[in-house]
């Protein structure tokens, strides 16, 4: 009887621990357009061509509607750089598709009417970005240049 009593006491703790460990995923999640709200400016994300996401190593997710909001948030240091697992942006050519922000190619052009007026869009493919640049003009930015521009 003692064994059963011990098991019954530790069972809830074991279940809670298992649920906690399962709930701490560091996987990105798709942005829910029309529902998610930008962590920085508090606007609802509506256009699937624009958006960004930060996922921390503990699994906390921050959603942004524009590169401006993402960069402003990163500049605050609210989340330390070493605590970030993923920085993702929407690939303009593939709406709703999140891609690695650090390896993406950025185009700044007044032809893009972004939610918070950054006029910056991201592409996962350099050649596709270049085609948009030829049609829309603008300036190509790599991740390092983008980060520097917003400091």
């Amino acid at each position: 009887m003692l064994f059963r009593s011990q098991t019954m006491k530790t069972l809830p703790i074991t279940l809670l621990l298992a649920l906690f460990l399962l709930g701490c995923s560091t996987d990105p999640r798709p942005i829910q357009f029309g529902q998610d709200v930008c962590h920085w400016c508090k606007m609802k994300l509506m256009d699937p061509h624009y958006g960004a996401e930060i996922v921390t190593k503990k699994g906390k997710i921050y959603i942004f509607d524009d590169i401006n909001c993402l960069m402003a948030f990163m500049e605050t240091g609210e989340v330390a750089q070493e605590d970030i697992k993923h920085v993702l942006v929407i690939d303009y050519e593939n709406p709703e598709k999140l891609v690695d922000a650090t390896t993406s190619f950025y185009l700044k052009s007044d032809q893009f009417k972004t939610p918070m007026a950054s006029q910056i869009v991201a592409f996962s493919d350099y050649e596709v970005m270049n085609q948009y640049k030829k049609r829309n003009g603008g300036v190509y930015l790599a991740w390092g240049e983008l980060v520097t521009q917003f400091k």
Side-chain angles (χ1 to χ4, degrees):
M1 190 68 165
L2 179 63
F3 176 73
R4 184 166 189 224
S5 175
Q6 291 277 71
T7 304
M8 294 306 284
K9 287 180 183 175
T10 60
L11 186 60
I13 294 169
T14 306
L15 285 173
L16 282 174
L17 183 59
L19 287 172
F20 175 75
L21 292 174
L22 290 174
C24 290
S25 170
T26 59
D27 292 338
R29 74 159 175 81
I31 293 173
Q32 298 171 343
F33 292 91
Q35 294 177 10
D36 281 334
V37 174
C38 177
H39 180 78
W40 186 256
C41 72
K42 310 304 182 211
M43 283 180 47
K44 190 178 286 185
L45 279 78
M46 299 303 290
D47 191 332
H49 285 94
Y50 309 105
E53 179 172 305
I54 289 177
V55 183
T56 69
K57 290 178 180 175
K58 290 184 177 181
K60 182 158 177 142
I61 295 175
Y62 298 88
I63 305 287
F64 306 94
D65 66 344
D66 196 323
I67 297 290
N68 273 350
C69 295
L70 169 67
M71 292 292 128
F73 174 79
M74 290 182 71
E75 192 63 24
T76 67
E78 182 177 327
V79 174
Q81 200 64 38
E82 62 269 10
D83 294 334
I84 295 174
K85 176 78 174 176
H86 302 285
V87 179
L88 306 156
V89 291
I90 294 288
D91 180 351
Y92 187 79
E93 179 74 1
N94 298 293
E96 296 189 30
K97 182 180 178 190
L98 288 165
V99 295
D100 185 343
T102 64
T103 59
S104 292
F105 307 95
Y106 298 89
L107 180 60
K108 181 173 182 150
S109 169
D110 60 6
Q111 298 301 303
F112 299 112
K113 306 303 179 206
T114 61
M116 294 302 289
S118 70
Q119 301 177 327
I120 299 172
V121 294
F123 298 91
S124 60
D125 183 287
Y126 178 79
E127 291 305 320
V128 172
M129 183 279 305
N130 221 14
Q131 291 169 7
Y132 273 86
K133 186 176 184 294
K134 287 176 183 171
R135 285 194 304 259
N136 298 290
V139 178
Y140 159 69
L141 299 165
W143 176 251
E145 295 166 314
L146 185 66
V147 170
T148 302
Q149 178 177 333
F150 280 90
K151 286 194 177 208

